[in-house]
Amino acid sequence: TQLLEQSPQFLSIQEGENLTVYCNSSSVFSSLQWYRQEPGEGPVLLVTVVTGGEVKKLKRLTFQFGDARKDSSLHITAAQPGDTGLYLCAGHGGAQKLVFGQGTRLTINP
Amino acid sequence: DAGITQSPRYKITETGRQVTLMCHQTWSHSYMFWYRQDLGHGLRLIYYSAAADITDKGEVPDGYVVSRSKTENFPLTLESATRSQTSVYFCASSGRGLNNSPLHFGNGTRLTVT
């Protein structure tokens, strides 16, 4: 069974601080996706990383796929209250199966 | 409006009753999925469908039934609801499957089984 462990599960920081969320597994994934979910809504795809070592940037968000394609990280620079939400990583484990992490609930305090 | 819509948004039912959650998408996407989201478990795949009349089990299919007679609709039925099926259910679609296209989620149905 493929599992993805996200850490931390909860994170509350002040506006302007930096943070990193981790997504780890013992399994290799062909790609890894990061989603953000607002209360009462479905997850929205932020980025897909495919190649080991790949780094993608989305404004103040930096996503990295591990060299062995088993782990990933999301780094947010100068966090803003609008970054508050639930962040989910999901690994593509083959066919039509996405393995989701438990999520990181991020709160940015003004 | 184009997109993926789920109904109802909230549902309370009693143990043992049958309940159907609806999902409709206007993109003509081939692939549709049902997930449940529970604290501590993230999102888990219940069933998915690659096209009309083609369905396949996901990680947690027991107690659920799906059908896909039309491309745009993918209803999920709980034949005899149990308290363990209290959850938030998300429908999603993908144009060409997870290998080639992103997943688009609806806004979910919060189901409570009493």
Side-chain angles (χ1 to χ4, degrees):
Chain A
T1 303
Q2 295 173 308
L3 293 173
L4 271 172
E5 296 286 338
Q6 265 187 259
S7 61
Q9 290 192 37
F10 300 92
L11 185 58
S12 179
I13 63 172
Q14 294 300 120
E15 182 177 359
E17 294 183 356
N18 301 332
L19 67 105
T20 302
V21 175
Y22 299 93
C23 182
N24 295 301
S25 177
S26 58
S27 304
V28 175
F29 293 100
S30 58
S31 66
L32 199 133
Q33 302 175 353
W34 284 91
Y35 292 81
R36 181 178 156 194
Q37 185 178 13
E38 303 275 5
E41 298 181 7
V44 176
L45 181 66
L46 296 174
V47 76
T48 300
V49 285
V50 179
T51 308
E54 183 177 3
V55 176
K56 281 191 173 178
K57 292 192 175 184
L58 193 65
K59 297 183 181 178
R60 293 174 294 97
L61 279 62
T62 301
F63 304 86
Q64 184 162 7
F65 202 10
D67 291 341
R69 291 185 288 130
K70 292 182 179 181
D71 54 84
S72 182
S73 63
L74 157 61
H75 182 78
I76 301 179
T77 303
Q80 298 178 1
D83 296 326
T84 292
L86 179 68
Y87 289 81
L88 296 159
C89 64
H92 187 194
Q96 303 305 321
K97 307 283 175 71
L98 269 185
V99 177
F100 280 86
Q102 315 99 304
T104 294
R105 191 163 297 280
L106 176 63
T107 302
I108 310 300
N109 303 299
Chain B
D1 290 337
I4 184 165
T5 55
Q6 293 184 236
S7 61
R9 288 298 310 271
Y10 303 91
K11 176 73 177 178
I12 300 174
T13 192
E14 294 177 344
T15 300
R17 291 200 181 258
Q18 181 180 85
V19 60
T20 296
L21 310 184
M22 305 301 292
C23 180
H24 175 79
Q25 52 103 356
T26 60
W27 290 305
S28 298
H29 282 174
S30 294
Y31 289 81
M32 295 187 76
F33 305 79
W34 275 106
Y35 289 88
R36 59 178 290 173
Q37 186 173 34
D38 304 287
L39 276 174
H41 289 280
L43 284 146
R44 292 180 291 175
L45 181 64
I46 303 170
Y47 270 96
Y48 69 96
S49 168
D53 297 322
I54 300 174
T55 62
D56 208 347
K57 294 179 179 179
E59 181 186 355
V60 288
D62 293 344
Y64 303 96
V65 175
V66 292
S67 62
R68 191 145 177 232
S69 57
K70 292 184 178 181
T71 299
E72 61 267 30
N73 296 324
F74 191 38
L76 175 74
T77 297
L78 288 68
E79 293 189 300
S80 179
T82 64
R83 289 200 179 93
S84 65
Q85 292 177 310
T86 291
S87 186
V88 182
Y89 290 85
F90 287 98
C91 180
S93 71
S94 173
R96 293 169 291 164
L98 298 181
N99 286 323
N100 300 301
S101 56
L103 203 56
H104 300 271
F105 284 88
N107 284 333
T109 294
R110 182 175 293 276
L111 176 68
T112 301
V113 183
T114 61

